[in-house]
Amino acid sequence: MRIPLGNEGEHARKVLGFPEDYLMPCFIGMGKAAANAKMIRQKEISVESRIHKNIW
């Protein structure tokens, strides 16, 4: 799932033909990666270091 960037929202409107007063807040990508697609490695994080209790 991803948020449309740049002109992706308008491109989707043109391709899919949904009304001007509708907004696509996100896209769900479906399909199969190309044989030569670059696989991005997920950054490893510690969940414990990301959880804040009683602080910002």
Side-chain angles (χ1 to χ4, degrees), residues 45-56:
I45 63 162
S46 163
V47 174
E48 290 79 18
S49 71
R50 301 295 176 110
I51 297 175
H52 305 280
K53 295 180 182 176
N54 300 322
I55 61 171
W56 176 250

Side-chain angles (χ1 to χ4, degrees), residues 29-48:
M30 298 180 73
K32 184 173 144 181
N36 61 348
K38 181 178 179 183
M39 300 304 287
I40 306 295
R41 188 173 174 163
Q42 181 70 39
K43 181 179 177 181
E44 297 289 331
I45 63 162
S46 163
V47 174
E48 290 79 18

Side-chain angles (χ1 to χ4, degrees), residues 1-47:
M1 192 153 81
R2 55 178 264 130
I3 297 171
L5 301 173
N7 68 345
E8 289 178 332
E10 285 306 313
H11 177 72
R13 183 182 316 281
K14 199 180 326 179
V15 171
L16 300 173
F18 57 88
E20 287 289 325
D21 59 338
Y22 279 52
L23 173 68
M24 290 290 176
C26 65
F27 297 136
I28 298 176
M30 298 180 73
K32 184 173 144 181
N36 61 348
K38 181 178 179 183
M39 300 304 287
I40 306 295
R41 188 173 174 163
Q42 181 70 39
K43 181 179 177 181
E44 297 289 331
I45 63 162
S46 163
V47 174

